[in-house]
Amino acid sequence: MSGKKEALQGSVATKDRTEITEPPLYKVLLHNDDYTSMEFVVSILIGIFHKSPAEATRIMLNVHEQGIGIAGIYTQEICETKIDKVHSLARLKEFPLRCSMERA
């Protein structure tokens, strides 16, 4: 029996570890235009991107002054969904508001 014990002590059970990689993140960018109202941009930021009114106003002013602003950082699929929602709501209100995404 002691021979078996020695054999078991010498063997090591190993488990294959699967590395989990985080998905890449993307920025949703809002682009300034001369027609979309500031109020609409703020409402989009609050409703779709879940920003506080103060943060939504800050982002909207950045878009207005810099020509572009970051609405949020998400995975690719979430970015695409949020961009589609923004474009749909903008079309309903007849605003040319444009969003895009780029790798964060």
Side-chain angles (χ1 to χ4, degrees):
M1 183 113 158
S2 67
K4 257 188 177 178
K5 209 179 226 183
E6 287 173 19
L8 289 176
Q9 287 175 348
S11 67
V12 177
T14 58
K15 290 184 181 179
D16 290 333
R17 286 196 164 182
T18 306
E19 288 295 318
I20 298 174
T21 56
E22 295 293 324
L25 295 177
Y26 293 83
K27 297 183 267 190
V28 175
L29 304 172
L30 293 175
H31 301 270
N32 191 37
D33 62 69
D34 293 333
Y35 301 101
T36 305
S37 72
M38 292 179 178
E39 294 81 11
F40 180 74
V41 174
V42 169
S43 71
I44 289 292
L45 288 163
I46 292 170
I48 295 176
F49 296 97
H50 308 291
K51 303 297 183 187
S52 68
E55 189 176 10
T57 300
R58 182 188 55 76
I59 295 168
M60 175 275 298
L61 288 172
N62 195 46
V63 172
H64 181 69
E65 294 166 0
Q66 305 296 318
I68 198 164
I70 299 171
I73 300 175
Y74 310 95
T75 61
Q76 183 177 359
E77 293 80 14
I78 293 173
C79 277
E80 290 168 348
T81 300
K82 289 186 180 288
I83 289 170
D84 287 344
K85 286 181 182 179
V86 169
H87 288 160
S88 293
L89 284 173
R91 275 194 304 272
L92 276 174
K93 298 287 186 177
E94 299 182 351
F95 287 126
L97 181 62
R98 192 170 66 87
C99 285
S100 65
M101 71 181 205
E102 72 177 31
R103 190 103 183 233

